[in-house]
C-alpha cells in the first residue's frame, strides 16, 4: 500500500466531493460534515461510476404514535446516489439503506497539514 | 501511509455526472467490457429514441393538414402537440438522481448526423452493440389516448420520421415500427408500407392499452405480419391512470406492477385464444417486462388449463409450451436471487428464446454484462442471448468474425396453413 496526495482539503466543501483516477484506480473523496471519507468509484450493482453521482439526504417517512403516515422529509444522513440506476449508499458507512451486504469499498483517507492523502492498492 | 514519490502517479479529475454528460463518458465504464466481448454479435432489441426532444420534426410529418395544425398550435405553447401525458412520466429519473433519463442536454456536433443518431451512435459504440433496435419513449403511452385518430396520425408520422430521418443515417440503427393498434386497418397499412424496408425489422404494439388482442379485427394484421416474416413485438409500459394502479401511492409500486401487467394480460389472452395455433409462423416478442413474471404465468396457466381445457379449445399442448416458443427481451433482468433467475431461464428456454435489450437511455437500463456476468450460462447461451437469437428473429446477417459459435437451430415450426 502507498498513499497519494490528491489536493487540498479546503478545496472540497462540506457536502461536496472530488473523484480522481490515480493511474487506473478511481476513488471518490467526500467531505461529510468536515470528516473525509473515500470509496472506490465502483458500484456493487453493475460497476457503475457511483462516486460521480449526486448527493441526496436520506428520505424519511414520519409516522405518528398510531403508526399513521404524517409525511416525508429529508433526514440528516447523506447518501451518494449512483448515476447509472439510482442505488443509494450512506456516505458515512458506504452501505445501501436496505441491504447491508451491498456496500461501497472503503479507501483509507487522511488529512495531513491540510492535504488529502488517499491510500492506493498497489505500491507506486 | 508512505510518502508520495513526487510525480509518480498520474492524477486525473473525473467529472460529476449530470444530464449534460456525454453518453460516452456516462457509459465509459462499459467500454472495457465491450472490448472484451468484441467478437460477440450483440443486438440490442430494445433501446429508445427520445422523440419528445424532436417533436416538431415528428409532427411535421403528420399527413392531415388539420391534425398537423392542431399539433403545431400546441407546440407554440411548448407542449408536445397532441400527446397525452400520464402521471409519473416525469418521475422516472427519480427526481434528478438518475440524470440520463430525462432532459438530455449533452452536446452534439451541429454539422454531424441528426442529433438523435449521434446520441444512439455514442451508446452503440460505448456498449459494443452491433445492431440497435430503437423504439419511441413518450409514445409508449399513446395507446391510451382517447382519440384513436391521434394515435393513427402520430403513429404514421413517427414511422415516417424514424424511417426517413433516423435509420437512413446509420445501418446499425433499425426499428420495430409503431402500430396504431386502436385502429387495426391502419396497422395493416403500416405493415404493407414497410414490410420490405430492411431497416424495419418488425412491428410493435405498445402494450399499454385496453384492447383485447384476440379480437377478430386483428386477424388480418397478424396474417400480414406473419407473411412479412418479421416479428410482432408487444412493448410494455406503465399506466398510473389505470384504476387498479391508482391504488399505488408511489411510483415504485405502480411501475413494478404496471410494467408487467399489460404484457401479462395480453400474453394470457394470446395463449387462451390459441393465437399461436392460428398463426404458427408468426414470431412474437414480449418486451421490457423482465423475465420473472414468466415463471409465475407459465405455471399458473398450465394448472388452470389442465382443469379447464374446454375454455382454450385451440390449444394442443400446455400454455407453457407455447411460451417456450415465443421470444422475450431481457431487460430489466431480475437477478437478486440467482437461483430463481437460473430456474426461470431454464423454464423459458432462454438459450434459444431470450433476446438482450438495454433499454438505454432509460433509468433501469441493462448493459451486455447483465448477461455475460451470469455464472450459470455457458458461452454458447451467452452468445445466443446477446445477439444470435435476435439475428434469427430479425433475419440479420452475422459477420463471420462474430460468429464464433453456431446459431441455435430454429424452433420447430408448424406448417403454414
Ligand atoms: S451500477 Fe450503480 S446503480 Fe446500477
Amino acid at each position: 500500500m502507498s498513499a497519494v496526495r490528491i489536493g487540498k482539503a479546503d478545496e472540497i466543501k462540506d457536502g461536496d466531493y472530488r473523484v480522481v483516477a490515480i493511474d487506473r484506480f478511481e476513488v471518490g473523496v467526500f467531505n461529510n460534515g468536515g470528516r473525509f471519507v473515500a470509496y472506490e468509484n465502483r458500484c456493487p450493482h453493475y460497476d457503475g461510476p457511483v462516486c460521480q453521482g449526486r448527493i441526496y439526504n436520506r428520505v424519511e417517512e414520519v409516522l405518528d404514535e398510531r403508526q399513521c403516515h404524517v409525511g416525508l422529509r429529508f433526514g440528516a444522513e447523506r447518501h451518494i446516489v449512483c448515476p447509472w440506476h439510482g442505488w443509494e449508499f450512506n456516505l458515512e458507512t458506504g452501505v445501501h439503506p436496505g441491504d447491508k451486504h451491498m456496500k461501497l469499498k472503503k479507501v483509507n483517507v487522511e488529512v495531513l497539514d491540510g492535504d488529502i492523502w488517499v491510500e492506493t492498492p498497489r505500491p507506486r | 501511509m508512505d510518502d508520495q514519490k513526487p510525480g509518480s502517479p498520474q492524477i486525473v479529475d473525473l467529472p460529476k455526472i449530470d444530464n449534460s454528460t456525454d453518453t460516452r463518458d456516462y457509459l465509459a465504464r462499459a467500454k472495457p467490457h465491450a472490448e472484451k466481448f468484441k467478437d460477440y454479435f450483440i443486438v440490442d432489441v430494445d433501446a429508445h429514441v427520445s422523440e419528445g426532444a424532436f417533436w416538431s420534426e415528428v409532427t411535421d410529418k403528420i399527413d392531415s393538414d388539420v391534425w398537423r395544425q392542431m399539433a403545431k398550435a400546441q407546440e407554440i405553447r411548448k407542449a408536445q402537440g397532441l400527446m397525452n401525458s400520464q402521471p409519473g412520466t416525469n418521475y422516472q429519473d427519480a427526481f434528478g438522481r438518475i440524470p440520463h433519463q430525462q432532459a438530455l442536454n449533452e452536446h452534439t456536433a451541429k454539422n454531424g448526423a441528426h442529433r438523435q443518431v449521434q446520441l444512439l451512435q455514442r451508446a452503440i459504440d460505448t456498449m459494443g452493440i452491433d445492431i440497435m433496435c430503437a423504439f419511441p419513449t413518450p409514445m409508449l403511452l399513446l395507446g391510451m389516448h382517447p382519440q384513436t385518430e391521434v394515435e393513427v396520425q402520430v403513429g404514421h408520422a413517427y414511422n415516417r420520421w424514424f424511417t426517413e430521418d433516423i435509420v437512413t443515417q446509420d445501418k446499425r440503427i433499425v426499428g420495430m415500427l409503431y402500430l396504431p393498434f386502436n385502429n387495426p386497418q391502419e396497422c395493416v397499412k403500416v405493415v404493407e408500407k414497410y414490410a420490405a424496408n430492411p431497416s424495419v425489422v418488425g412491428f410493435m404494439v405498445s402494450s399499454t392499452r385496453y384492447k383485447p388482442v384476440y379480437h377478430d379485427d386483428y386477424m388480418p394484421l397478424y396474417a400480414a405480419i406473419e407473411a412479412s416474416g418479421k416479428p410482432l413485438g408487444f412493448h410494455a409500459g406503465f399506466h398510473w391512470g389505470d384504476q387498479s394502479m391508482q391504488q399505488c401511492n408511489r411510483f415504485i409500486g405502480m411501475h413494478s406492477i404496471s410494467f408487467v401487467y399489460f404484457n401479462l394480460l395480453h400474453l394470457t389472452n394470446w395463449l387462451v385464444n390459441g393465437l399461436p395455433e392460428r398463426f404458427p409462423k408468426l414470431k412474437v416478442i414480449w418486451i421490457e417486462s423482465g423475465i420473472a413474471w414468466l415463471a409465475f404465468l407459465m405455471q399458473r396457466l398450465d394448472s388452470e388449463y389442465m382443469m379447464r381445457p374446454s375454455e382454450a379449445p385451440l390449444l394442443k399442448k400446455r400454455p407453457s409450451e407455447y411460451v417456450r416458443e415465443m421470444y422475450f427481451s431481457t431487460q430489466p433482468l431480475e437477478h437478486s436471487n440467482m437461483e430463481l433467475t437460473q430456474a426461470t431461464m431454464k423454464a423459458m428456454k432462454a438459450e434459444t428464446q431470450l433476446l438482450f435489450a438495454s433499454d438505454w437511455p432509460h433509468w433501469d437500463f441493462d448493459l451486455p454484462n447483465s448477461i455475460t456476468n451470469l455464472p450459470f450460462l455457458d458461452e454458447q447461451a451467452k452468445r445466443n442471448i446477446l445477439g444470435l437469437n435476435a439475428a434469427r428473429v430479425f433475419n440479420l446477417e452475422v459477420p463471420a468474425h462474430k460468429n464464433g459459435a453456431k446459431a441455435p437451430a430454429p424452433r420447430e415450426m408448424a406448417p403454414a396453413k
Side-chain angles (χ1 to χ4, degrees):
Chain A
M1 292 285 184
S2 62
V4 173
R5 188 177 57 225
I6 64 150
K8 293 274 177 212
D10 61 9
E11 288 167 357
I12 307 177
K13 303 276 170 254
D14 181 21
D16 202 358
Y17 66 84
R18 196 173 150 206
V19 186
V20 292
I22 303 167
D23 291 338
R24 299 176 67 170
F25 178 64
E26 293 182 15
V27 59
V29 179
F30 299 84
N31 179 341
N32 191 22
R35 214 179 83 76
F36 283 82
V37 288
Y39 299 101
E40 268 192 49
N41 186 26
R42 279 193 182 278
C43 179
H45 180 216
Y46 270 130
D47 240 14
V50 55
C51 296
Q52 290 168 262
R54 290 175 173 162
I55 293 174
Y56 280 72
N57 282 37
R58 179 179 185 158
V59 173
E60 297 174 344
E61 180 156 3
V62 183
L63 304 178
D64 67 14
E65 62 288 347
R66 300 165 302 149
Q67 298 301 308
C68 292
H69 172 85
V70 175
L72 298 176
R73 69 176 179 209
F74 284 113
E77 184 179 306
R78 285 180 181 146
H79 287 181
I80 178 71
V81 184
C82 180
W84 271 15
H85 310 97
W87 281 32
E88 300 194 12
F89 303 92
N90 181 331
L91 258 195
E92 196 52 41
T93 62
V95 176
H96 188 282
D99 185 340
K100 62 178 185 301
H101 302 294
M102 292 298 157
K103 53 186 172 200
L104 304 181
K105 206 160 166 205
K106 258 207 154 92
V107 174
N108 287 332
V109 59
E110 267 186 58
V111 177
L112 293 173
D113 298 330
D115 291 329
I116 300 173
W117 291 77
V118 296
E119 199 169 86
T120 56
R122 284 181 307 278
R124 297 175 184 283
Chain B
M1 293 186 184
D2 302 337
D3 204 0
Q4 180 183 3
K5 310 269 183 308
S8 47
Q10 202 192 350
I11 300 175
V12 178
D13 269 290
L14 301 177
K16 291 175 179 169
I17 287 177
D18 60 24
N19 66 345
S20 301
T21 302
D22 188 302
T23 301
R24 291 164 292 195
D25 296 328
Y26 213 123
L27 293 174
R29 196 50 77 60
K31 189 80 180 161
H33 188 268
E35 288 294 317
K36 196 164 149 203
F37 292 95
K38 65 174 184 253
D39 74 321
Y40 276 51
F41 185 62
I42 302 186
V43 180
D44 179 356
V45 303
D46 183 41
H48 287 268
V49 298
S50 304
E51 74 279 12
F54 311 99
W55 197 244
S56 66
E57 296 177 22
V58 174
T59 55
D60 280 348
K61 300 203 187 258
I62 290 178
D63 281 333
S64 155
D65 50 1
V66 174
W67 286 105
R68 191 166 61 246
Q69 185 276 326
M70 288 162 73
K72 297 296 174 193
Q74 292 172 298
E75 282 163 22
I76 291 168
R77 303 194 298 269
K78 303 260 182 277
Q80 277 176 35
L82 299 178
M83 281 299 280
N84 54 328
S85 75
Q86 297 286 345
T89 304
N90 293 328
Y91 288 21
Q92 298 193 86
D93 69 346
F95 314 99
R97 289 170 177 82
I98 311 176
H100 58 87
Q101 166 74 44
Q102 260 154 249
L104 277 188
N105 205 19
E106 71 183 90
H107 177 75
T108 47
K110 285 262 180 301
N111 49 3
H114 190 289
R115 174 172 161 79
Q116 179 63 77
V117 173
Q118 290 187 52
L119 293 174
L120 292 176
Q121 286 170 331
R122 289 174 183 180
I124 287 171
D125 292 337
T126 316
M127 288 196 254
I129 305 286
D130 289 281
I131 301 287
M132 179 178 269
C133 180
F135 199 63
T137 297
M139 284 174 58
L140 287 173
L141 301 169
L142 188 57
M144 289 295 183
H145 200 294
Q147 293 171 284
T148 297
E149 206 169 351
V150 168
E151 190 190 20
V152 169
Q153 294 290 336
V154 171
H156 286 316
Y158 168 82
N159 290 338
R160 278 190 57 201
W161 174 75
F162 187 72
T163 54
E164 292 169 8
D165 298 355
I166 303 300
V167 296
T168 44
Q169 299 194 19
D170 191 327
K171 279 200 162 61
R172 297 173 302 172
I173 303 169
V174 298
M176 299 180 80
L177 290 193
Y178 187 94
L179 293 173
F181 202 64
N182 292 335
N183 183 325
Q185 294 81 22
E186 292 296 327
C187 293
V188 173
K189 285 186 196 165
V190 173
V191 178
E192 286 168 349
K193 182 172 176 185
Y194 295 104
N197 185 328
S199 296
V200 175
V201 295
F203 301 94
M204 185 91 84
V205 176
S206 57
S207 300
T208 309
R209 59 182 73 243
Y210 298 127
K211 285 285 179 205
V213 297
Y214 55 79
H215 197 287
D216 283 342
D217 284 352
Y218 292 119
M219 299 310 129
L221 171 65
Y222 302 149
I225 299 177
E226 183 182 48
S228 78
K230 295 181 176 181
L232 165 65
F234 285 89
H235 191 298
F238 65 80
H239 181 38
W240 214 343
D242 182 281
Q243 273 203 304
S244 296
M245 297 306 148
Q246 285 177 17
Q247 297 174 89
C248 294
N249 65 337
R250 303 273 158 83
F251 181 88
I252 179 178
M254 179 281 298
H255 188 270
S256 299
I257 300 170
S258 191
F259 235 97
V260 181
Y261 170 72
F262 286 98
N263 268 355
L264 196 134
L265 183 72
H266 297 319
L267 176 52
T268 300
N269 276 336
W270 191 269
L271 292 171
V272 168
N273 289 281
L275 283 156
E277 290 292 342
R278 300 195 219 182
F279 301 98
K281 286 196 165 180
L282 178 58
K283 296 176 276 193
V284 184
I285 315 174
W286 302 88
I287 295 168
E288 210 180 327
S289 295
I291 63 169
W293 63 297
L294 293 170
F296 155 71
L297 192 65
M298 289 165 87
Q299 295 200 73
R300 180 87 178 166
L301 287 180
D302 276 3
S303 41
E304 298 253 343
Y305 172 70
M306 296 309 282
M307 295 186 282
R308 308 175 77 93
S310 62
E311 290 181 8
L314 285 175
L315 298 190
K316 296 180 179 148
K317 50 195 176 191
R318 291 177 187 237
S320 64
E321 293 183 56
Y322 293 99
V323 169
R324 278 190 281 275
E325 294 172 350
M326 299 170 128
Y327 298 93
F328 297 86
S329 70
T330 52
Q331 183 276 338
L333 186 70
E334 303 90 346
H335 59 96
S336 64
N337 183 325
M338 210 47 97
E339 283 174 23
L340 290 180
T341 307
Q342 180 173 12
T344 306
M345 285 205 180
K346 186 167 178 232
M348 66 181 292
K349 272 183 75 193
E351 186 165 350
T352 57
Q353 308 309 119
L354 191 58
L355 315 172
F356 167 71
S358 75
D359 196 37
W360 180 260
H362 294 168
W363 64 279
D364 49 354
F365 74 100
D366 282 340
L367 290 166
N369 69 359
S370 61
I371 303 304
T372 52
N373 284 352
L374 292 175
F376 54 83
L377 288 180
D378 63 24
E379 163 85 7
Q380 178 70 69
K382 288 177 185 176
R383 284 182 182 273
N384 292 351
I385 294 168
L386 279 169
L388 298 180
N389 290 341
R392 179 158 49 87
V393 178
F394 290 153
N395 311 309
L396 303 172
E397 208 176 311
V398 183
H401 70 284
K402 297 231 174 198
N403 201 357
K406 273 202 312 209
R411 66 183 165 89
E412 282 291 307
M413 298 278 196
K417 287 179 295 183

